[in-house]
Amino acid sequence: MRTPIIAPSVLAADFANIQRDVEMLNASDADWIHIDIMDGVFVPNISFGLPVMKAINEHATKPLDVHLMIEKPENYVEAFKKAGAEIISVHYEACSHLHRNLQQIKALGCKAGVAINPHTNVQLLEDCIGDIDLVCVMSVNPGFGGQKFIENTYKKVRQLKEIISDANATTLIEIDGGVNKENAPKLIEAGADVLVAGSFVFNSENPIDTISSLKSV
Ligand code: DX5
Ligand code: ZN
């Protein structure tokens, strides 16, 4: 089986000990660090913003994969780049001018991602797939960690994989929400390249071992 990129989400970390938790991720087999930014408008929850992200960046030695669950992302992508983002994903549902948003992210020197909600059909990405470095397929409704994985995700991943290969694109497929050791192998088999995991990693007894186990499913 292909080895996935593992991107633990710090949403489930202990914010009172964020340096400790980021250093744990540095020492682990994690490839990226997933940063969930929620504005309380696009999603019914507020997570954290730029100052916290800057603090994470001061300690992180791995690429920061920033998932913007916000309205009007075009007003903030530059600030997130300055705060240390290497990959920036905007939501399809929050962008009336997605193609423009992707070019804006790339012009900043970041990889450009598009996140899609569970109800959004992957077919909608067909006309701009060549411009997308990463599709973040939401396998829960965005806004909260610790939710149940939506089984329809496998079908979406298979369909998306086909769109990517038909276009000869190099787009990575990332899965976000409810990822665990049971669904991880099935997701990789369906075509997933990147697995985000929040509560499964941080609520486990030994997060370092849990990250390694996800990497070698
Ligand atoms: C949900 C976030 C996810 C979340 C994943 O809105 O985008 O990244 O932190 O957490 P778990 O793995 O607990 O579902
Ligand atoms: Zn996320």
Side-chain angles (χ1 to χ4, degrees), residues 9 11 34 36 38 67 69 138 140-147 176-179 196-200:
S9 166
L11 187 65
H34 187 81
D36 286 307
M38 305 177 184
H67 176 194
M69 286 162 272
M138 292 308 301
V140 298
N141 285 295
F144 303 92
Q147 302 181 81
D176 189 6
V179 170
V196 174
S199 48
F200 184 66

Side-chain angles (χ1 to χ4, degrees), residues 21 47 78 82 110 117 190 197:
D21 282 3
S47 56
E78 195 173 344
K82 284 195 181 130
C110 293
N117 280 340

Side-chain angles (χ1 to χ4, degrees), residues 147-189:
Q147 302 181 81
K148 193 175 173 292
F149 178 83
I150 297 171
E151 297 288 322
N152 188 52
T153 308
Y154 302 117
K155 186 186 94 188
K156 292 179 78 164
V157 174
R158 284 193 295 271
Q159 290 173 341
L160 182 57
K161 193 78 189 170
E162 212 173 300
I163 293 170
I164 294 167
S165 10
D166 287 353
N168 277 325
T170 52
T171 316
L172 296 176
I173 302 178
E174 177 176 67
I175 313 298
D176 189 6
V179 170
N180 57 37
K181 245 194 121 173
E182 275 72 64
N183 52 35
K186 290 192 256 175
L187 288 165
I188 297 163
E189 204 187 304

